[in-house]
Amino acid sequence: DHAASTWTTTWDRIDGRRVLPSVARNKTRKASSTRPWDLFPSHTSVRSRSIQPSPRIPTTRTKIERKKKKRRGWNARRRRRRRGAMNVGGFRNVRWNACRNRSNENEGGRKGVGRAWAKLYPNSQAYERGTLDVGDGHRIYYEQHGNRSGKPALVVHGGPGAGCYAKHAQFFDPGHYRIVLVDQRGCGQSTPRGQLVENTTSHLVQDMKRLQDHLDIQSWVLFGGSWGVTLSLAFACAYPERTEAMVLRGICLMRPVEIDWTFGGGASVLRPKAWSGFLQHLEVKEREDPLRSYHKRLLSEDSQVRDAATKAWQSWEMSLFITPRDLTQVWDGEKWEFQSTQQKGGKEEKGPSSSQPSKPEPEKKNAETPQPAIEGKADPNMPSSVAQAMLTAHYSVNHAFLDPNYLLDNVDRFRHIPTVMVHGLYDLVCPMRTAYDLHKRWPEAELRIVSGGHSMYDPAVQAELVRSLDQIRDRKPIRPAPMH
């Protein structure tokens, strides 16, 4: 019976009739209970062996194989749903899988397989470096990356005084964007370093305009973060026709309430130990107004006084950069210390503690009567960290040389500009209230609240920034319905 069933199936195939595999299998099951893999055994009769079976008859999938295939489909659908919509804090949904159009081969510009978290683009070399004389004794440094004939985009760094880095260009598609990096007055590679004379928000806005004319750019995309948000909005308010779009991160308007949050004790409720170390550097009388006290110390002619104040200043600022996910409080038997435990390369890397006692500070000879900054002269050997602290204190004490609600009251001047605002849910430097107040006045802009901190390299923040710039590159609409 077994040989007959095999012969019958083979004969039907070579007789010229087209027999479907299911029909052939039914015939064999009627003749005998032959298993699918026994249809064409090697020990058949001589006559059946002389006729080769057709390779077009597929083997039958077993019941277990069909179940495995079905289960794989279910798991794939579950993974897609997990990467779907995410609603944070009641704000507009953020779809992580919207970054699927990122390309694996960025230089070629071809679209590849989508990823849940958008990564930075490869590092690109600057094709032009130079300085521009903007008057008042200042020269600003700039670089250009990416495509020479691409869409112009300007990176507006934060701080004030933080400066630009080549890694900032990696948020842009180098095959599409013409990326301009610039160091603002008195910081980075701009000269003179640490110069506060003729250094205000209006001066920086005019510098951006001069650089735009120098590079023969009609309009560009502004990419600003933290203090860079304030400066970007100030430029858009002054020159809306020269601004094509904006991507803003860590919404900051430099209002008195925001400055008081950072340097007036507002954030101390979340970082009490770090705030205590920030005050311990000052005399008892100076602690009544920490911001102005530090401002005087940072303007001291004594470099040792400036360096000590800078160290305490940056220690407080960095404690606000650490998100709750990266913060560990450690007891060493005598005191509590905050340590950062960020994993890099599979290993834990412990960062400096925000309340870790520093080395004994030098004697403060001029601490009681600090001298004003040297106007007209600048120290070329001044560390960039000291220059950044000086500029941050300079703009904070003067409220960025703007009226408290200047940008909110002039939203109508740049309301038509397509804008994406990205703000971290755990941002302790710029309070969430600022992003809400700006979006309430400006519902046409898109506000994206992500599960991240203040840093632009936080995975969630980074993904949204890359996605927003890709969205502008692809000319996709970025204006949602107003948020209520």
Side-chain angles (χ1 to χ4, degrees), residues 217-429:
I217 296 175
Q218 298 301 320
S219 64
W220 52 19
V221 178
L222 295 179
F223 180 66
S226 193
W227 153 250
V229 173
T230 303
L231 189 55
S232 298
L233 293 176
F235 180 85
C237 185
Y239 302 101
E241 71 282 355
R242 306 295 295 270
T243 307
E244 181 176 347
M246 290 187 288
V247 176
L248 310 176
R249 183 266 315 167
I251 308 305
C252 168
L253 302 179
M254 293 294 286
R255 297 178 297 176
V257 64
E258 302 170 37
I259 298 173
D260 186 67
W261 163 263
T262 306
F263 300 111
S268 64
V269 297
L270 301 176
R271 294 288 187 267
K273 198 67 176 179
W275 178 254
S276 176
F278 184 65
L279 295 180
Q280 285 179 1
H281 181 76
L282 303 174
E283 303 294 338
V284 177
K285 294 182 180 179
E286 294 178 315
R287 297 175 187 176
E288 297 178 359
D289 193 349
L291 177 58
R292 295 192 177 276
S293 300
Y294 268 98
H295 182 239
K296 292 180 181 179
R297 288 175 177 264
L298 291 169
L299 298 185
S300 173
E301 291 182 345
D302 190 342
S303 61
Q304 293 183 346
V305 174
R306 293 200 307 263
D307 294 344
T310 299
K311 186 175 181 179
W313 179 279
Q314 290 191 331
S315 178
W316 163 244
E317 282 190 327
M318 293 307 299
S319 69
L320 299 178
F321 268 81
I322 303 174
T323 62
R325 298 168 298 173
D326 304 326
L327 193 65
T328 302
Q329 196 171 16
V330 182
W331 174 258
D332 63 356
E334 297 180 356
K335 58 185 178 301
W336 287 100
E337 292 185 354
F338 290 103
Q339 293 182 351
S340 173
T341 56
Q342 296 181 351
Q343 292 186 355
K344 290 186 177 181
K347 298 181 181 180
E348 285 191 353
E349 180 178 318
K350 295 185 178 181
S353 169
S354 59
S355 60
Q356 184 175 359
S358 58
K359 297 180 181 180
E361 297 179 0
E363 184 180 357
K364 306 177 182 60
K365 297 180 182 179
N366 301 330
E368 296 296 333
T369 58
Q371 301 295 327
I374 305 176
E375 300 183 2
K377 293 184 179 180
D379 185 2
N381 299 321
M382 177 186 296
S384 59
S385 58
V386 177
Q388 179 178 349
M390 290 175 57
L391 287 166
T392 304
H394 171 67
Y395 276 86
S396 298
V397 166
N398 295 283
H399 300 152
F401 304 93
L402 298 172
D403 293 336
N405 293 317
Y406 173 77
L407 296 176
L408 291 177
D409 295 339
N410 290 274
V411 168
D412 291 337
R413 292 186 56 83
F414 50 83
R415 186 183 300 274
H416 63 282
I417 301 175
T419 302
V420 177
M421 299 184 293
V422 180
H423 201 91
L425 189 62
Y426 304 109
D427 191 339
L428 303 183
V429 179

Side-chain angles (χ1 to χ4, degrees), residues 33-44:
S33 58
T34 308
R35 291 174 296 181
W37 50 82
D38 291 336
L39 285 175
F40 304 103
S42 59
H43 57 275
T44 55

Side-chain angles (χ1 to χ4, degrees), residues 124-137:
S124 61
Q125 297 295 329
Y127 65 82
E128 182 185 357
R129 294 182 174 90
T131 59
L132 177 64
D133 186 0
V134 293
D136 306 319

